[in-house]
Each structure stands twice: as C-alpha cells, then as structure tokens.
Amino acid sequence: MQKNTGKKSSRKSAPRKRKARKAKVPLDRKKLMVLCAIVCASCVLLLALTAIFSGEGEKKTGSSIVAEKVLDEENDSAKNSVEKKDKKSKKRKAASQKEEKKAEEKKDVEEKIAETPKEEEKPAPKIDEAKAEEPAKESAAEKKEEKISEQEKAQEPAGFAFPYAQKNAVLCVVFDDGGQNISQLQKCVALPFPVTVAVLPRLPHSAEAARIVRQSGNEVILHQPMQAMNLKVNPGEGAIKPGMSSGELAATLSQNIAEISPIAGMNNHEGSLITEDESMVAFILQIVQDKGIYFLDSRTSSATKVPSVAMQMGMGYYQRDIFLDNQKTRENYLSELKKGLDIANKKGHVIMIGHVWSAASLPAFLEEVYPELALKGYRFATVSKSGGMIQ
C-alpha cells in the first residue's frame, strides 16, 4: 500500500513542461476595414462586369430577332407589291385590249360608213349631160346594190327571224297529189310533225300511198279530181265533170272514197269550174256529210260556192290559206311561210298546201325551219285537229 502511494506522490512532485506560446500581434482595425472595402468593391465590380456582358448578349439576340422580323416583313411587302404590280399590269393589258377592240370596231364602222354612198343634192343635169352619164349611173347603182346586199347579209341575224306565235297559232301542212310516187311520198310523211296527205284516186300507187300515210301516223284524205275552167286540162281518172248526173256523181265519189279508205276528209284537185257551180257543190257536200268526213276547199277559184252552200246547209268546212310551192324555190317557200305565219297569228290557225312532187326541196326546207318555229311557240296539226273549221 505504501509503495503505490509513493509513486503517486513522485509524479505530482515533478512539474510538467508547458509549450511556449507565441506572442499575439494586435490587429489594426483601419487596415482591416480598408481590406474589406477593397474585397467588396472587387466583388461588386465583378458582378457589374458579368451583368454588363450578359446584357449585351441578350441585346444582341433580341436585335437579331427583330432584324429577322423586319426582313420577313420587308419580303412580304415586296411580294405584295410585286403581286399588286402584276394585277395592275394585267388590268392595264385587259383595258388596252378592250380599247384596241373598240378602236377596231369603230374603224370598221367608219370604213363601212365611208363605203356607203351618201345622197347628195345635185342640180338637174342638162339633157346631153344626162345621156352621157347614163352608163356611169347604171354601174354606180349596180355597185350600190351589191354593197347594200352584202351589208344586209352581214347584218342578217342567225335563223329566220320568225315572229313569236300568238293565239296559240297552229300550222297545218297538206301535201296534195299523193299516189303518183312512193319515194317522194315517204319524204313528206317522214317530217318531225304531223301532216295531212291528199291522195289521188285510180292511180297505180293510190291504195299503197294511203296505207303508207296511215302507217306513218299521219292523216289521209281523198284528193278528188274536178274539172277546171280550162276544158283542155284533164283532171285525171275518177274526176267530177260538168253534165254528170246525180247518180254518176255519187257513184264516182263512192268508188274513189272506197279505194283509199278509211279517210278523214276530201279536197278538190283542180275543180275551178265545179266549185263555181252551186248545185254541184251542194250535191258534193251532201255526200261528204253523209259519209261523215270533212271537206277542204282548195280554193282554186276565188268565186267558189263552197262557203255559201255550206252555210245554207249548216255544215262546217275548211279552206286553204296558202300554196307553199307555186314556185319550187327556197325564197318562195320562205316568203309564203311567213305569210302563213301572219295568218296563223291573226286567226289562230293556217292551212298551207304543198305537193308531193316538191319532195326534192320542200320537205327539207320544212324540216330546217321546224326547230325555230317550235321554239317560237307554233304548234303543228293535221287538218281535222287544226281547229280551223269554219262554221
């Protein structure tokens, strides 16, 4: 126990060596403040520099975007201006072309006016001078007529310039003298509108012609021969002639009707002498009435007794208004047709007679004018459906 205590006491008795401490240098507060100020100033300067440089970059990028926008706007405006210029140039070209056309038309009109001779007042020439100038006047008149005809042709409108139909105008075309030629007849019944065909009796093709007309859907009537004023004219077989008894007349008509029946009516072939005889007309109309058919007066004589006798008998009848082919020319066809249109527009109907022997030109003419007539409101019908019966 003592030994341990001795050791402990020996340790306490020996003093420990302490390290030597450095001497503290006192800090100068002023210098420290200056140093801090410098550091702060450098930091502020550094921040300012970074802010400046970053701002310039942003400004540069913004300016580039603005520049691009400006360039785009300039390009768009340039394109718009080019398009506007193109449109203006096109409008100017179109206007110039119109002006050129107007100038050309005006020039043509002026040339035509210059070409047409003007009437000038001249003093009456002396007799000798007039004789000397006669050939020159004739040639000048001929040239004037040629120029006028050329101008009329140039100014003539397309088509036939038919008037528009009035009063529901109906046109009825009758072809007389059927039975002589089948090929001619077929051209007449092939028209695009209804027609009436008057067939002569006692010919080689009479019955056949009547059958062809019926098969085509058109109307057949008897074209009854009658004696004309000129006794040298032979009206043909089965004719009604002066001096016939009532029995002979009745037998003749019955045979002719039976040959081409069934028929809708009858008209006269020639017959100016017979239709001027009141008693003969009365007997013919009585047979027509008994047979239940109509009578169409071809009016080969202006002194026909058909109107007066029919009125006395209280029966209706039809009458021809126009002959289409007294002259087988296109000019005559057109002239007569226009007369017929005037009649139709006044009365509401017209009956126009042509002939089968005009088949080389008349059917073709009628087919040519048909579209315009139909367009102008004219209707076509057979005699029995024309509404033209006179009561």
Side-chain angles (χ1 to χ4, degrees), residues 68-182:
E68 288 177 358
K69 288 183 179 178
V70 170
L71 288 172
D72 291 337
E73 290 176 357
E74 288 178 354
N75 290 331
D76 293 336
S77 62
K79 287 180 182 178
N80 292 330
S81 62
V82 170
E83 289 177 356
K84 287 180 181 178
K85 286 180 181 178
D86 291 338
K87 288 180 181 178
K88 287 181 180 178
S89 62
K90 286 179 181 178
K91 287 182 181 178
R92 287 174 184 171
K93 285 181 181 179
S96 63
Q97 287 176 356
K98 287 182 181 178
E99 288 177 359
E100 288 176 0
K101 285 183 180 178
K102 287 181 181 178
E104 288 177 0
E105 290 175 357
K106 188 176 180 181
K107 189 177 179 182
D108 293 337
V109 172
E110 289 176 353
E111 287 177 357
K112 287 180 181 178
I113 292 169
E115 286 178 0
T116 53
K118 295 180 180 179
E119 294 182 357
E120 296 179 358
E121 294 182 359
K122 294 181 180 179
K126 294 180 181 180
I127 296 172
D128 295 335
E129 291 177 358
K131 288 181 180 179
E133 290 177 357
E134 278 179 3
K137 283 182 179 180
E138 288 177 359
S139 61
E142 289 175 358
K143 289 180 180 178
K144 183 178 179 179
E145 287 178 359
E146 288 177 0
K147 286 180 180 178
I148 290 170
S149 63
E150 288 176 0
Q151 289 174 359
E152 287 176 351
K153 287 179 182 178
Q155 294 174 358
E156 185 178 353
F160 299 92
F162 294 135
Y164 282 91
Q166 299 177 14
K167 298 181 179 180
N168 295 318
V170 176
L171 310 182
C172 179
V173 177
V174 179
F175 286 101
D176 277 355
D177 296 347
Q180 295 177 338
N181 186 299
I182 297 301

Side-chain angles (χ1 to χ4, degrees), residues 40-56:
C40 290
S42 61
C43 290
V44 170
L45 181 62
L46 183 59
L47 291 171
L49 289 172
T50 54
I52 289 167
F53 284 113
S54 64
E56 287 179 356

Side-chain angles (χ1 to χ4, degrees), residues 231-378:
L231 297 178
K232 293 180 181 180
V233 175
N234 182 9
E237 291 293 324
I240 296 174
K241 295 182 179 180
M244 290 179 71
S245 66
S246 58
E248 290 174 334
L249 197 154
T252 300
L253 280 177
S254 296
Q255 183 179 346
N256 294 343
I257 291 171
E259 183 182 8
I260 62 172
S261 284
I263 60 174
M266 180 179 76
N267 72 336
N268 55 295
H269 171 68
E270 302 292 346
S272 55
L273 181 63
I274 302 301
T275 56
E276 288 186 14
D277 188 321
E278 189 170 346
S279 61
M280 296 287 281
V281 169
F283 196 84
I284 293 167
L285 292 183
Q286 186 61 55
I287 294 174
V288 166
Q289 193 174 39
D290 293 342
K291 296 288 184 181
I293 60 178
Y294 65 77
F295 187 81
L296 167 63
D297 187 2
S298 299
R299 291 189 64 83
T300 54
S301 170
S302 59
T304 176
K305 296 296 189 293
V306 172
S308 59
V309 173
M311 185 180 292
Q312 291 172 9
M313 295 176 63
M315 66 177 288
Y317 69 99
Y318 298 91
Q319 69 177 19
R320 183 269 313 166
D321 297 297
I322 293 292
F323 276 121
L324 284 170
D325 56 353
N326 282 338
Q327 297 177 20
K328 292 195 292 182
T329 63
R330 180 185 174 84
E331 290 77 16
N332 180 69
Y333 297 158
L334 183 59
S335 175
E336 295 302 316
L337 175 61
K338 287 183 176 180
K339 291 178 185 177
L341 297 181
D342 290 339
I343 293 170
N345 286 327
K346 290 176 182 176
K347 297 197 309 180
H349 52 79
V350 64
I351 296 175
M352 302 177 288
I353 291 182
H355 294 83
V356 173
W357 39 257
S358 296
S361 56
L362 181 56
F365 169 77
L366 292 172
E367 189 170 4
E368 183 182 358
V369 299
Y370 170 70
E372 184 174 341
L373 290 171
L375 186 65
K376 294 293 179 67
Y378 294 95

